[in-house]
Amino acid sequence: MAPSSSAKQLIAVAGAAFLLATAVAFLLAAESCRPQPVHLRLYMHDVMRGPGTTAIHLIHGVGPPHDVERGAYFGDMAAIDDVVTEEPDAGARAVGRAQGTYMLASQHEEVLAVAVTVALTAGTYSGSTFSVAGRIGVYDDKAEAAVVGGTRRLRRAAGYLTWRMVELVVSEGYVMVELDVHMSVPPVSAAGGNWWSSLLRSIN
């Protein structure tokens, strides 16, 4: 027995609805796979002497005297555990720590080779970290370094930051550095799944 016209209409409507739902699911899955942009503006507080010291020399005076920086030597290296804030104020609420090393990497220029991980302890990305590596001109207006990875909510982060010294107090051994961070983070589905599982989750 041939299906009635009303049955044919129902089948056509159901088919169109299925196709529409599938198309929407594919669009949602594609959207969910886009990297998520993250922008942070942070301030790192480097204290090189006194009771609140956060930076110490690991190597000093081993290499030849630096051509430009008085009292410094090629290859000088420091370890840091600097307080990080969201405001350009050493007394502002801490939102993390910048931990790592920097080395005077040029004999003739004031250039640092930097390897630092920023561990965030407050805000949206509390418990997450991102790692930075690069060549920093100490007195450059806006030096750039690469964001080369991260953990937790910033897992597999990639991007760059500008590194700018905003305050220097030589008598106190204090430096404040602005970190203007631009990075992107892949969604969870991209890190631990595939497009098909994303599609099924979208449909369900």
Side-chain angles (χ1 to χ4, degrees):
M1 179 177 177
S4 66
S5 59
S6 59
K8 289 180 180 179
Q9 289 176 347
L10 285 174
I11 292 172
V13 169
F18 176 78
L19 290 174
L20 179 61
T22 302
V24 170
F26 270 109
L27 290 173
L28 291 173
E31 181 67 24
S32 69
C33 290
R34 290 185 179 179
Q36 303 301 308
V38 177
H39 177 226
L40 302 172
R41 190 182 301 274
L42 304 169
Y43 296 87
M44 189 173 84
H45 304 272
D46 208 47
V47 182
M48 292 171 278
R49 65 172 67 102
T53 296
T54 64
I56 62 167
H57 274 113
L58 298 178
I59 300 172
H60 180 64
V62 175
H66 195 266
D67 286 354
V68 180
E69 194 74 21
R70 293 183 60 186
Y73 299 81
F74 171 59
D76 282 359
M77 178 181 286
I80 65 169
D81 181 21
D82 291 352
V83 172
V84 173
T85 64
E86 289 182 319
E87 304 295 332
D89 180 353
R93 181 178 72 109
V95 297
R97 310 288 297 197
Q99 299 164 329
T101 60
Y102 50 79
M103 179 180 66
L104 190 54
S106 171
Q107 298 184 62
H108 315 294
E109 301 175 89
E110 294 154 316
V111 168
L112 302 177
V114 173
V116 173
T117 294
V118 177
L120 298 169
T121 57
T124 303
Y125 299 101
S126 179
S128 302
T129 71
F130 65 91
S131 296
V132 178
R135 179 184 186 275
I136 300 295
V138 175
Y139 299 108
D140 287 358
D141 183 48
K142 284 191 177 181
E144 284 194 13
V147 175
V148 296
T151 63
R152 302 283 295 269
R153 294 193 63 187
L154 298 175
R155 187 178 300 157
R156 293 172 58 190
Y160 74 97
L161 59 76
T162 59
W163 174 298
R164 183 171 68 94
M165 183 168 62
V166 293
E167 186 175 353
L168 170 63
V169 184
V170 175
S171 62
E172 298 177 9
Y174 171 73
V175 179
M176 178 167 59
V177 175
E178 179 190 71
L179 306 176
D180 190 13
V181 188
H182 300 264
M183 56 187 164
S184 59
V185 182
V188 174
S189 59
N194 54 49
W195 71 270
W196 180 246
S197 59
S198 298
L199 172 61
L200 291 179
R201 283 195 297 271
S202 299
I203 294 174
N204 294 331

